[in-house]
Amino acid sequence: MSDAVSRFDEGLRSILTELEGGAFEVAKTEQELREINARFVGANGSLTSVLKLMRELPGDQRKPKGQAANEVKQKIEARFSARLDALLREAREADLKAPFDVTLPGRGVLPGRLHPITRVRHELLDIFESLGFEVVDGPEIDLHENCFDRLGFPPDHPATDMQDTFFVDRGKGAGDRGTLLRTHTSTMQIREMSRRPPPLAVVSAGAVYRRDDDATHSPMFHQIEGFLVDEKVTMADLKGVLQRFLERLYGEAIEVRLRPSYFPFVEPGAEVDARRPGGSWMEIGGCGMIHPVVFEHVGYDPTKVSGFAFGMGIDRMAMVKFGVPNIKLLFENDVRFLGGF
Ligand code: PHE
């Protein structure tokens, strides 16, 4: 027998002895098991070295010895995968046997809820709906014309300045005055009146944007706009609606005051203040009789119709209602804050 043949046989025999001796079965972890496997079939493994002897075997020996080596290789694979299965099974069983208290409370799912601003907005819209107003929605990006020009703002009114308004684009000139994030919900007066004839009574609520940023001003905030157009509408109707609305919101005893003020799209114009018994006056919004120039811009005849409009801040009402000290808290979406309502 050639030297190579005896070293080949000896090599296989010692591998078999190791296998029978439980070489794989001692592995306690998958990592350990893979290390043991490498000792046989890895680059420097014992079987690998035996196979390298193949070249030195006499020609007629190669086939039978090759078969013998293959059988050993299959035994290694079988032992490896049997032990791997056993290890995985053991791990799963250990998991199942671990102390498990079925009486422990589960991980609760926190119920969702409406944002305080959304709740106040729904409440306001509900009240106006019950007073006969129709609720509509409008876009937050609108034309310069709908936000300013058609409401009677002079072309270079300070409110239209870049310092005060977020422009989406500045427009190309005369017929194209650009698009912007609406600075108030009064855009809805133009939009709704332009698309249908009077009479109408409409409310709309939503986000508006201004370049304002401090403890009581957020660059994004919310307004509710209401307007009514018919024949012979007077300021008494306006005050009556506001009075009714605030009574529903804050309770019967609320007192309402209109304080003369200026907005380009109303004449006369006023600030709306409200006061609880014994409390101090709180500014709620602006209002007035719709300016004839607005009626002209939407195709209504100012000699035939009259109407009123008002706009109020929703965020401040929510802050008062829920006792929120800083408006920013309403927009940070911190559940530790929002969960408290
Ligand atoms: N749009 C005005 C503002 O944002 C409020 C307002 C609305 C005033 C309707 C009068 C009439 O300040």
Side-chain angles (χ1 to χ4, degrees):
M1 233 200 286
S2 83
D3 182 42
V5 173
S6 64
R7 277 193 287 143
F8 192 96
D9 289 344
E10 183 45 42
L12 286 190
R13 225 182 347 264
S14 86
I15 291 172
L16 284 174
T17 313
E18 272 197 80
L19 288 183
E20 298 307 330
F24 279 106
E25 286 70 16
V26 299
K28 293 276 178 291
T29 64
E30 184 174 336
Q31 159 86 357
E32 241 182 275
L33 180 68
R34 293 192 185 280
E35 278 162 17
I36 294 166
N37 196 45
R39 274 187 0 229
F40 294 106
V41 297
N44 299 313
S46 48
L47 181 66
T48 313
S49 335
V50 170
L51 290 174
K52 280 183 189 145
L53 292 170
M54 284 288 275
R55 276 174 285 131
E56 297 171 35
L57 298 179
D60 62 339
Q61 291 287 306
R62 287 195 189 158
K63 197 172 171 197
K65 295 299 174 200
Q67 267 168 9
N70 210 27
E71 275 163 32
V72 172
K73 187 170 175 232
Q74 280 167 8
K75 274 198 177 118
I76 292 171
E77 282 167 7
R79 297 278 174 141
F80 171 80
S81 68
R83 184 63 192 148
L84 184 61
D85 283 352
L87 283 175
L88 295 177
R89 201 170 44 243
E90 279 166 24
R92 202 165 51 233
E93 272 161 16
D95 242 9
L96 291 173
K97 274 193 215 121
F100 177 67
D101 184 353
V102 292
T103 66
L104 281 175
R107 242 170 261 172
V109 178
L110 289 174
R113 65 180 79 192
L114 293 177
H115 191 280
I117 300 254
T118 307
R119 277 165 55 191
V120 170
R121 189 180 60 190
H122 287 176
E123 196 182 338
L124 305 185
L125 291 174
D126 281 352
I127 295 173
F128 281 113
E129 205 164 32
S130 77
L131 292 175
F133 285 77
E134 180 190 340
V135 177
V136 303
D137 230 340
E140 292 171 20
I141 297 177
D142 210 331
L143 299 174
H144 189 290
E145 283 89 333
N146 291 343
C147 197
F148 296 123
D149 307 326
R150 296 172 80 196
L151 283 166
F153 284 77
D156 45 12
H157 189 279
T160 70
D161 197 281
M162 285 258 280
Q163 304 307 315
D164 297 317
T165 303
F166 293 106
F167 281 84
V168 175
D169 75 78
R170 290 236 65 167
K172 291 185 195 65
D176 174 9
R177 303 263 282 141
T179 43
L180 40 79
L181 300 184
R182 64 179 178 188
T183 59
H184 55 177
T185 43
S186 299
T187 50
M188 296 308 294
Q189 294 184 36
I190 301 299
R191 287 184 157 271
E192 287 302 305
M193 287 192 254
S194 307
R195 67 184 192 88
R196 52 178 153 163
L200 50 73
V202 172
V203 271
S204 188
V208 300
Y209 302 83
R210 287 183 204 176
R211 290 184 168 234
D212 260 342
D213 205 358
D214 59 43
T216 51
H217 294 89
S218 153
M220 188 272 308
F221 58 105
H222 299 85
Q223 286 189 333
I224 181 168
E225 187 89 6
F227 44 97
L228 180 148
V229 183
D230 203 341
E231 289 169 9
K232 302 193 178 75
V233 179
T234 72
M235 205 128 183
D237 299 315
L238 167 60
K239 183 148 191 232
V241 165
L242 290 172
Q243 176 82 43
R244 265 303 161 77
F245 161 69
L246 290 164
E247 281 169 6
R248 295 261 181 101
L249 186 65
Y250 291 117
E252 289 293 323
I254 199 89
E255 219 183 321
V256 179
R257 165 175 91 175
L258 298 189
R259 186 162 38 89
S261 184
Y262 174 76
F263 301 94
F265 39 96
V266 285
E267 180 59 36
E271 307 280 348
V272 189
D273 298 335
R275 172 166 80 174
R276 284 200 180 98
S280 50
W281 288 107
M282 184 168 61
E283 195 179 308
I284 299 235
C287 70
M289 300 306 291
I290 298 174
H291 199 290
V293 102
V294 173
F295 286 142
E296 276 163 21
H297 286 149
V298 298
Y300 286 7
D301 182 350
T303 65
K304 295 221 173 82
V305 295
S306 53
F308 62 73
F310 54 83
M312 298 178 282
I314 298 179
D315 315 81
R316 199 155 348 134
M317 291 189 209
M319 288 169 74
V320 170
K321 184 177 168 93
F322 297 116
V324 177
N326 185 330
I327 191 169
K328 302 284 158 48
L329 287 166
L330 290 169
F331 306 127
E332 283 168 352
N333 280 340
D334 186 333
V335 288
R336 288 170 301 179
F337 167 75
L338 294 176
F341 296 102

